[in-house]
Amino acid sequence: MSQTLFISGAHTDVGKTYVACAILRATRAKRLRVEALKPVVSGFDPQDWSQSDPGRLLAALDRPLTLETLDAISPLRFDAALSPPMAARLQGYDLRLGQLTDFCRAGLAASAADLTLIEGVGGVMSPISEDATGLDLMLALGLPTVLVGGSYLGAISHTLTAIETLRARGLAIHAVVVSQSAEPDAPDFVQTVESVAAFAGDLKVIAAARGDGDWAAQLV
C-alpha cells in the first residue's frame, strides 16, 4: 500500500530535509519506490544548488541534479533566505496557497511510489505564502505528519507546542523525530528526547542522533 507523509518542523533549521532524506534512503534500501516534493524553497542559489533542500532530496532519490528533475520536485524557488512570501515578493512574485496545493495534489495523483514525502518550510506556523502558513498547507492536504524537532535550548517547548497545534487542528501525527542539534552547548540529547516523549502522550518519538541514520528504518 502506498503511503504519503508531510515532513513538518517545530522550528526553522531543525533538520526537516535531513530527516526526509534519511527516510527516503531507508525506504529505497528496502527496494521500495520513493518520491518527494518540496513545493517551495527560499534561500536558493541557482548557481550552486547541489546542497540545497531540493538538491539533497534529489540525491536521496538517486536522481540526476538537472533543471528538469529540480522543476519536477521543487518548482517555486526564490533567492533570499527569508520566508517564501517575503523572498517571492523581492522577485516580484505573488505566492499563493492555491499554487502550492495544486502542485502537491498533482504530484500525489501522478505518483506511483510506495512512499511519497512532501516537505514544508520553516516551522508549523511559518508563512508559506501571502495567504497561508505551513499549517494551512498541511490542513489543505490532510496528510499524516512527521514532526521534526531539535535539541537546542528551547526545543522541547517548540516541539510540544507544535504537537498541540497539530492535535488541535485534527492533523494526524505519524511520528515525532528529535533531530540532534549541532550547537556544542546544546542540552543533553538523550534527556531532551526523553523529555519530549514524557509529554507527547502515545506518540512515537524517535531520536535522530547526528551521524546515525539507522533510526529512519523505524518510519519505513
Side-chain angles (χ1 to χ4, degrees):
M1 180 189 297
S2 62
Q3 183 177 31
T4 305
L5 297 171
F6 193 102
I7 309 297
S8 64
H11 193 43
T12 301
D13 291 332
V14 291
K16 292 186 302 299
T17 305
Y18 164 71
V19 168
C21 289
I23 295 171
L24 292 171
R25 291 190 175 99
T27 305
R28 288 182 53 231
K30 293 191 174 186
R31 300 186 181 279
L32 298 174
R33 297 167 297 176
V34 292
E35 186 57 83
L37 303 171
K38 174 95 176 181
V40 62
V41 59
S42 53
F44 182 87
D45 182 353
Q47 303 304 316
D48 182 15
W49 55 270
S50 63
Q51 291 305 306
S52 68
D53 290 353
R56 292 163 61 197
L57 290 171
L58 285 170
L61 291 166
D62 195 28
R63 293 180 189 166
L65 304 184
T66 67
L67 186 58
E68 181 180 9
T69 59
L70 177 61
D71 285 340
I73 72 164
S74 193
L76 294 166
R77 306 180 297 271
F78 304 102
D79 300 346
L82 300 168
S83 70
M86 292 176 69
R89 213 176 299 147
L90 288 175
Q91 294 178 223
Y93 192 91
D94 184 35
L95 183 61
R96 296 288 168 173
L97 177 62
Q99 298 164 286
L100 305 179
T101 55
D102 287 350
F103 170 75
C104 290
R105 287 170 179 158
L108 293 176
S111 176
D114 299 294
L115 174 68
T116 302
L117 301 182
I118 297 179
E119 184 186 335
V121 299
V124 168
M125 294 299 294
S126 294
I128 200 168
S129 67
E130 294 288 354
D131 55 348
T133 66
L135 179 63
D136 294 312
L137 177 60
M138 296 163 70
L139 288 167
L141 298 176
L143 303 173
T145 297
V146 173
L147 177 66
V148 183
S151 66
Y152 53 87
L153 185 63
I156 296 171
S157 177
H158 290 161
T159 302
L160 296 178
T161 299
I163 289 172
E164 290 306 311
T165 299
L166 297 178
R167 282 173 166 162
R169 301 304 294 273
L171 285 167
I173 302 174
H174 182 73
V176 177
V177 177
V178 180
S179 178
Q180 187 174 20
S181 300
E183 295 89 341
D185 58 347
D188 182 79
F189 180 59
V190 173
Q191 292 187 57
T192 297
V193 175
E194 290 174 347
S195 293
V196 170
F199 292 100
D202 59 354
L203 294 178
K204 178 187 291 185
V205 178
I206 298 172
R210 294 181 67 80
D212 176 12
D214 291 345
W215 58 268
Q218 299 177 59
L219 289 167
V220 177

